[in-house]
Structures are given as C-alpha cells and as structure tokens.
Amino acid sequence: MEIVQAALQEVGRRWERNEVSVAQEHLATAITQRVLAQASLRASYLPANGRRALLACVQGNRHSVGLRIVADTLEIGGWEACFLGADVPNADLLAFASMRRPHLIALSLSLPEQLAPTRDAIRDLRDTLGDDCPPIWVGGLVTLRSDQLWRKLGADGWAVDALGRLAPG
Ligand code: B12
C-alpha cells in the first residue's frame, strides 16, 4: 500500500511539472489497479464479521484508487465492502444507502470543489436515514489539508490512509 501510494504521488508531482503525459498517468493508474487486484487475491482475510461498508467517491471525484485501497483493507479485516467507485451522484448515493442499510459509509474526496457536495451528501444521508444513519467517515487528498476539516463536513470520522482505524467494530 505504501509503495502504491508513493508511486502515484510521484506520478502526480511529475505530471504537475509536465514530465508525465495524460497517457502515462492513465497507464500508471491501470498498472496500480492490476497490482491491487493481484494483491487482494493473495491476501489472508479475517473471517466475515457480518458488517457492511458502503464506499463511494463523492459527486465530481474521479480519484477512485485510494478508496479502492480502503475497500480492500476493510474486506481483509472481515467486512463486506460495497465499492461504488468514482463520481457517485448524491441522489444515487442516498437511494443506494437507503436500500442497502450499511453499518459504515466511507466517502472519498480529492479536490476543494468537492467539499460542498460532500457536506450536502452527509447532511442528506443524516436527514433521510435518521437514527439508522451509520457512522460516516471521510478521507482523500483535500482532507489532508487540516486535521479538523472532517468535522466541518459533518462526518463522524476521518483517516489519513486506509490503515487508519475505521469506526467501531
Ligand atoms: C491518478 C490521478 C488522477 C486520475 C484518477 C484515476 C483513478 N481511477 O483514481 C484521473 C486522470 C481521473 C485524475 C483526474 C484529475 N486530477 Co488527478 N491525480 C491523480 C494522482 C496522480 C494520483 C491519485 C491517487 O490515486 N493517489 C494515491 C491514493 C492511494 O491516494 P489518495 O487518493 O489520497 O487515497 C489515500 C488516502 O487519502 C486515504 N483515503 C482516500 N479516500 C478515503 C476515504 C476514507 C473514508 C478514508 C478513511 C481514507 C481515504 O486512503 C487512501 C489510501 O492510502 C494525483 C497525485 C497525488 N499526489 O495524489 C493527482 C491529483 C490528485 N490530481 C489533480 C488534478 C488537478 C486532477 C484534475 C483536475 C486534472 C484535470 N485537469 O482534469 C482531474 C480532476 C478529476 C476529478 N474531477 O476528480 C491534482 C490535484 C491538485 C489539487 N488541487 O489538490 C493532483 C494532486 C496532481 C497534481 N499534483 O497536480 N487524476
């Protein structure tokens, strides 16, 4: 996980300096996804704990690799992880969460313009699910700017990476 994260950060730095083309970045992402899939086949999984997590990149966020790592880590820890991937519209997230009734919702955001949609999504989830709303955790690049940002979004928790402790249980 450390290797994958460091490699993609280096790609990002080189991309910023125009040393890496869009095609090369796409290739690096595709290789990463393949490596992650192979690693998940070799991992040893804890027995199922009967808990379901719903994971989604918020509306507008196309950076899904980091959340995939979070999903794989939860599965290795015995959770059932339902990974919805990139750019999930708020209305669809809400409908899916209402139907699926997860024990944890993990939302990922990367860019500053994704802060407002995340705040809206968390508010709508709480309004709709009421007392049944599970803990909502957030993470992703933009959340690393301050260790208090997650509170302003209305979330219940935050972690800097997939190794952080996620929610009770
Ligand atoms: C790959 C990549 C892309 C790919 C993503 C492909 C995919 N399927 O994921 C694509 C091509 C789609 C892309 C698009 C863009 N990108 Co981009 N991208 C990257 C790159 C190189 C790597 C991202 C990544 O995978 N990082 C590795 C993962 C493992 O880290 P992570 O996402 O932070 O996730 C970890 C933690 O944050 C945490 N975590 C994440 N989510 C969650 C959730 C919870 C609940 C928890 C607990 C933890 C958690 O755990 C993860 C594992 O440790 C970064 C560079 C970088 N420094 O990150 C730029 C980068 C993020 N992108 C950037 C930009 C500007 C863009 C675009 C705007 C470019 C453009 N002009 O189109 C678009 C925006 C797309 C959008 N609307 O979201 C900038 C953002 C700058 C900023 N303002 O902050 C970066 C930093 C590159 C740069 N240096 O300029 N990008």
Side-chain angles (χ1 to χ4, degrees):
M1 207 273 280
E2 286 89 0
I3 297 169
V4 165
Q5 181 155 300
L8 283 170
Q9 281 167 352
E10 183 58 28
V11 170
R13 279 192 287 275
R14 293 188 189 191
W15 182 17
E16 221 171 347
R17 297 198 298 261
N18 280 330
E19 293 169 8
V20 168
S21 68
V22 170
Q24 287 169 319
E25 174 282 314
H26 282 14
L27 178 62
T29 301
I31 292 170
T32 302
Q33 285 168 331
R34 198 162 155 203
V35 168
L36 288 173
Q38 284 169 349
S40 75
L41 291 177
R42 286 199 303 268
S44 25
Y45 291 76
L46 289 179
N49 63 17
R51 296 169 78 79
R52 282 187 305 280
L54 177 60
L55 302 100
C57 293
V58 297
Q59 190 168 303
N61 184 16
R62 287 168 49 215
H63 298 90
S64 58
V65 171
L67 192 65
R68 178 73 255 180
I69 296 175
V70 177
D72 289 351
T73 306
L74 283 168
E75 281 184 342
I76 288 168
W79 288 69
E80 181 191 333
C82 185
F83 173 71
L84 302 187
D87 190 12
V88 180
N90 281 358
D92 292 83
L93 173 67
L94 198 57
F96 200 85
S98 303
M99 182 186 72
R100 189 81 180 174
R101 297 288 164 164
H103 301 93
L104 170 72
I105 298 177
L107 301 178
S108 188
L109 57 157
S110 296
L111 307 180
E113 55 265 36
Q114 290 152 13
L115 290 167
T118 304
R119 206 178 297 117
D120 293 349
I122 293 174
R123 184 202 54 219
D124 293 349
L125 283 164
R126 292 201 195 288
D127 286 352
T128 304
L129 300 178
D131 291 343
D132 290 337
C133 190
I136 303 173
W137 279 55
V138 293
L141 193 63
V142 69
T143 68
L144 306 180
R145 291 182 175 191
S146 147
D147 62 4
Q148 293 301 314
L149 197 58
W150 62 276
R151 293 184 197 278
K152 294 184 184 149
L153 293 171
D156 299 300
W158 165 72
V160 297
D161 60 29
L163 301 177
R165 193 176 140 70
L166 275 171

